[in-house]
Amino acid sequence: MLTLYEKVDALNPENSMPVFRKAAEIIKSGGIVIFPTETVYGIGADAFNESAVKKIYEAKGRPSDNPLIVHVSKTDDLNYLAANIPEGAKKLTDSFWPGPLTVILEKSANVPFLTTGGLNTVALRLPQSKAARLFIEACGCPVAAPSANISGKPSSTDAKHALLDFDGKVDMIIDGEQSVCGIESTIVDCSDDITLLRPGSVTFEMLRAVLPEIKADKYIKLKPDDDFKPKSPGQKYRHYAPKAEMTLFCGNHSKVVSEINKRIAASVGKRVGVLSTRESEREYNCGIVISAGSRLDPASVAANLYDTLRRFDETGVDMIYSETFGSEGIELAIMNRLSKAAGYRIVECK
Ligand code: TXA
Ligand code: MG
């Protein structure tokens, strides 16, 4: 398949309407298109067209029981796609839409089961990204879209990442802005007791300010154990993993640095990469140190996280040692992604 690659004006995407219209024609005729959003790039199809949705699963190598997020261009679309919408969900969408928040609701009969992985619920999101909204609006239908990465690999925060993963596998890639959040949307299940399932740039603290009764799923922080019954099918699959084995080091900062340096010294003949922060990038005795951002601005770490993991893939390191983060604000989301990317290999430095 030939993949069209079209750039849009990232600052003023309304200047690029011909590109969005071309992409919309592809969607309307059952094709699949990669498009920018503020969180990560998505790989989209008409959410009502089962054969188009099937192409997404095939292109990603995604298990068919893992449902897709349905993206809309206006809040009202929720009423057509969901049923029995609770007051709490309305409070959340009023506060955080458009934005990096996905709500899970009972699905209406209009949404095919293929899109929801066979579930009676549907995940809905109205993105902040202007380019994303212009694209969805031009399509004239809701757009089902998972993150644009091969299943299990780091998400794409730049069209170049998506091109590496999907050249020849999708009909078109829209090259827009670099994703500003850099990690996938916050997911809140509103179909039962309102529960945070995946942390993101809309933080737990921000959600709690609007809905004090909201809970957080315990597996946001913990490795799935024998009791684990995933509330979101995606929770049971490996995610975000770079090619090299990654290990996280937590504890007092100077202990972390000395433990990582000790391991670097012991790994003769291996290429080691260190995922650091700007404040400590000069403290490691190894050639490949990549700073993901500043501890003073953890949102910058989130924004660069997947790009950093992909850069380690390019350098061909044998192993990655990484610093860790806290559990408040956006740091909860960073740790959730890092823990999964590392397959929960976490060393406590004492
Ligand atoms: O920021 C994002 O959310 C990006 C952009 C493209 O919008 N999309 C994204 O999609 O991250 P994906 O497929 O990579 O992650 C969606 C997660 C999966 O873990 C999936 O299992 C879960 O949402 N999910 C989707 N529908 C669900 C449902 N009805 N019930 C529970 N979990 C659901
Ligand atoms: Mg994903």
Side-chain angles (χ1 to χ4, degrees):
M1 169 193 299
L2 176 75
T3 300
L4 296 176
Y5 189 95
E6 299 272 0
K7 246 185 173 0
V8 294
D9 182 339
L11 287 180
N12 298 297
E14 59 279 8
N15 293 342
S16 306
M17 281 319 291
V19 176
F20 296 121
R21 280 195 283 268
K22 190 192 275 184
E25 283 314 312
I26 291 173
I27 294 289
K28 285 182 213 168
S29 55
I32 54 177
V33 173
I34 290 178
F35 63 100
T37 91
E38 75 278 18
T39 56
V40 297
Y41 273 66
I43 168 169
D46 175 351
F48 295 143
N49 181 336
E50 297 200 37
S51 70
V53 167
K54 219 165 147 213
K55 289 182 192 168
I56 295 180
Y57 285 97
E58 282 162 10
K60 271 189 69 111
R62 183 178 177 105
S64 61
D65 70 344
N66 195 359
L68 308 181
I69 294 176
V70 175
H71 296 70
V72 296
S73 62
K74 51 186 193 314
T75 308
D76 281 354
D77 293 343
L78 209 131
N79 301 313
Y80 185 65
L81 299 166
N84 300 318
I85 302 167
E87 208 41 51
K90 288 196 184 121
K91 281 192 192 159
L92 292 181
T93 56
D94 283 350
S95 304
F96 301 112
W97 275 12
L101 172 75
T102 296
V103 290
I104 294 177
L105 295 164
E106 187 182 318
K107 85 173 191 65
S108 77
N110 299 315
V111 185
F113 280 108
L114 194 73
T115 302
T116 66
L119 299 176
N120 281 317
T121 53
V122 60
L124 294 168
R125 173 160 121 78
L126 172 59
Q128 172 79 64
S129 156
K130 191 107 183 257
R133 277 186 284 146
L134 290 172
F135 163 63
I136 300 162
E137 208 168 34
C139 291
C141 60
V143 174
S147 50
N149 53 280
I150 300 297
S151 227
K153 292 285 160 196
S155 301
S156 298
T157 50
D158 187 294
K160 305 279 178 311
H161 300 159
L163 184 66
L164 281 174
D165 284 6
F166 290 104
D167 194 13
K169 294 184 183 158
V170 297
D171 297 288
M172 182 171 173
I173 296 174
I174 303 174
D175 180 351
E177 81 250 63
Q178 195 167 328
S179 301
V180 287
C181 300
I183 49 172
E184 305 80 356
S185 61
T186 302
I187 300 183
V188 178
D189 183 3
C190 302
S191 68
D192 197 355
D193 278 354
I194 297 193
T195 308
L196 173 65
L197 297 185
R198 181 174 76 181
S201 300
V202 174
T203 64
F204 186 56
E205 292 81 354
M206 288 159 75
L207 295 165
R208 208 168 40 193
V210 174
L211 276 187
E213 69 272 29
I214 189 170
K215 297 178 186 156
D217 189 84
K218 69 175 181 174
Y219 295 105
I220 284 172
K221 288 189 193 167
L222 298 180
K223 180 179 177 171
D225 53 17
D226 292 344
D227 293 340
F228 178 58
K229 287 187 201 66
K231 289 216 176 74
S232 173
Q235 288 174 317
K236 64 179 187 267
Y237 296 111
R238 178 110 197 260
H239 275 301
Y240 323 121
K243 288 181 192 148
E245 184 176 282
M246 181 153 85
T247 308
L248 313 183
F249 294 82
C250 66
N252 170 286
H253 180 69
S254 60
K255 298 254 166 56
V256 166
V257 173
S258 74
E259 180 62 30
I260 291 180
N261 277 330
K262 210 159 78 192
R263 292 190 183 218
I264 291 168
S267 45
V268 185
K270 296 264 185 216
R271 279 163 67 79
V272 180
V274 175
L275 192 160
S276 79
T277 45
R278 191 172 310 148
E279 289 75 13
S280 54
E281 61 187 325
R282 289 179 220 289
E283 296 179 43
Y284 298 101
N285 306 321
C286 92
I288 304 161
V289 181
I290 305 181
S291 156
S294 168
R295 282 195 182 273
L296 301 175
D297 175 19
S300 68
V301 176
N304 294 318
L305 189 64
Y306 293 133
D307 184 62
T308 305
L309 295 181
R310 283 176 176 262
R311 281 169 64 195
F312 281 121
D313 280 355
E314 283 164 24
T315 58
V317 290
D318 299 304
M319 55 188 83
I320 304 166
Y321 295 144
S322 174
E323 295 181 11
T324 49
F325 298 84
S327 58
E328 273 167 31
I330 186 95
E331 296 192 41
L332 177 67
I334 297 170
M335 273 311 286
N336 170 268
R337 306 307 194 276
L338 273 177
S339 307
K340 290 180 188 222
Y344 298 93
R345 251 182 312 279
I346 305 177
V347 174
E348 194 160 342
C349 305
K350 289 187 191 134

